[in-house]
Amino acid sequence: MQAFSVRQLKSNPSTVLRAAEADAMALVTSHQEPTALVVALDRLGLPDTAAVRSGLALSLFQAGSLSVGSAARIAGLPLTRFLEILASLRIPVTDATAAELDDDLDQARRWLAQEA
């Protein structure tokens, strides 16, 4: 495992990623103290990396850190399948109110009518 300073991470993040991919992990330090561990998921020897990716994607989406499309890509799933999983887990895709969704739908219909 290699160690990199935050300064090195800022100046060339791909170096840290390559090191993690080569050794499974890379350590990031700040003021010579360990602060983060960059982990190459595919190199950890996990029995089900796909499940880990899906779990991370679901958690990050639910926390509001990722869009639904980005979460689906991280999970390695088509958007439709990821939406099905969200629905089965009763995780809402949006926090908009019914009135806001109705308004969005009305606007989309008007836009489509103008395009025709």
Side-chain angles (χ1 to χ4, degrees):
M1 177 173 24
Q2 295 180 45
F4 298 86
S5 69
V6 171
R7 179 173 287 150
Q8 289 171 304
L9 179 64
K10 287 179 183 177
S11 67
N12 193 353
S14 63
T15 303
V16 177
L17 293 176
R18 280 194 302 274
E21 289 169 349
D23 297 332
M25 291 182 257
L27 180 67
V28 178
T29 63
S30 178
H31 304 289
Q32 299 179 340
E33 293 290 325
T35 58
L37 193 60
V38 179
V39 178
L41 293 177
D42 295 337
R43 293 285 315 272
L44 286 179
L46 299 171
D48 193 355
T49 303
V52 172
R53 290 172 57 112
S54 292
L56 285 170
L58 284 166
S59 179
L60 291 168
F61 172 74
Q62 203 167 13
S65 298
L66 291 176
S67 69
V68 70
S70 294
R73 280 190 295 280
I74 286 175
L77 297 171
L79 180 59
T80 53
R81 178 66 185 126
F82 192 75
L83 290 170
E84 289 170 353
I85 292 169
L86 290 175
S88 72
L89 296 172
R90 298 185 190 272
I91 297 173
V93 176
T94 181
D95 59 0
T97 65
E100 290 170 328
L101 292 173
D102 285 341
D103 184 48
D104 287 348
L105 188 55
D106 288 341
Q107 288 181 25
R109 285 182 179 139
R110 285 193 299 273
W111 180 79
L112 288 172
Q114 290 175 357
E115 293 292 311

